[in-house]
Amino acid sequence: LRATKDMGKMLGGEEEKDPEVVKKKKEEEEERQEALRQQEEERKDKHRKMEAEREVVRQSIRDKYGLKKKEEKEAEEKAAMEQACEGSLTRAKKAIPAGCGDEDDEDEESILDTVLKFLPGPLQDMFKK
């Protein structure tokens, strides 16, 4: 009879309903959860302190070499773009790389002629019209 009760528990069956056991398990679980929360807070505090120390080191390097923070650089670039666009009703134009869209039509025609040379006669006539 005892073996069947144990087997039932292993297979996900009903556990003992003794109020003292249930209460004790509940208290243990609450203590465990509290310990986990406390460990997580300690870990976060440790990381905050480490990051603050790193920021002090970063700032000393920035001061030493005259560098600026990313946020400061981005703010300056944005201000420069806004200043350049001031008075314009349209958005800022994007820079077009050299060779994009400014090619002569002769290159396009020569490419078309090259392709036409490889087509059979009747197809060449169709494209020439």
Side-chain angles (χ1 to χ4, degrees):
L1 187 66
R2 180 77 179 148
T4 57
K5 283 186 178 178
D6 291 339
M7 290 296 291
K9 286 181 188 177
M10 283 189 239
L11 297 174
E14 294 290 320
E15 294 186 20
E16 293 180 27
K17 296 289 185 183
D18 187 13
E20 291 179 17
V21 172
V22 171
K23 187 176 181 180
K24 186 175 180 182
K25 284 184 179 183
K26 196 178 237 183
E27 288 175 3
E28 289 174 358
E29 180 62 23
E30 288 175 5
E31 289 175 12
R32 190 180 73 80
Q33 290 294 330
E34 182 59 35
L36 287 174
R37 277 192 291 274
Q38 187 176 359
Q39 284 178 340
E40 184 66 18
E41 287 178 24
E42 290 172 2
R43 186 187 69 79
K44 286 182 180 180
D45 286 341
K46 177 183 170 186
H47 284 282
R48 268 190 230 107
K49 289 176 186 175
M50 286 174 25
E51 189 59 32
E53 291 172 5
R54 288 182 184 144
E55 187 56 37
V56 168
V57 172
R58 288 185 198 116
Q59 190 59 47
S60 67
I61 292 171
R62 282 190 213 105
D63 294 343
K64 182 177 178 181
Y65 294 104
L67 303 174
K68 296 180 181 177
K69 278 185 166 183
K70 275 187 178 181
E71 297 92 25
E72 292 173 2
K73 280 184 183 180
E74 291 170 357
E76 286 180 4
E77 290 172 1
K78 187 176 181 181
M81 285 295 290
E82 288 175 0
Q83 191 175 25
C85 295
E86 200 170 292
S88 174
L89 297 176
T90 59
R91 66 174 174 77
K93 293 182 181 178
K94 295 182 179 177
I96 300 174
C100 292
D102 58 354
E103 299 169 356
D104 295 337
D105 290 336
E106 294 173 14
D107 292 339
E108 292 177 18
E109 290 175 12
S110 64
I111 292 171
L112 185 60
D113 292 337
T114 306
V115 170
L116 284 175
K117 288 178 187 175
F118 292 104
L119 294 175
L123 286 176
Q124 285 183 4
D125 295 337
M126 284 175 50
F127 282 107
K128 286 184 180 179
K129 291 181 181 179

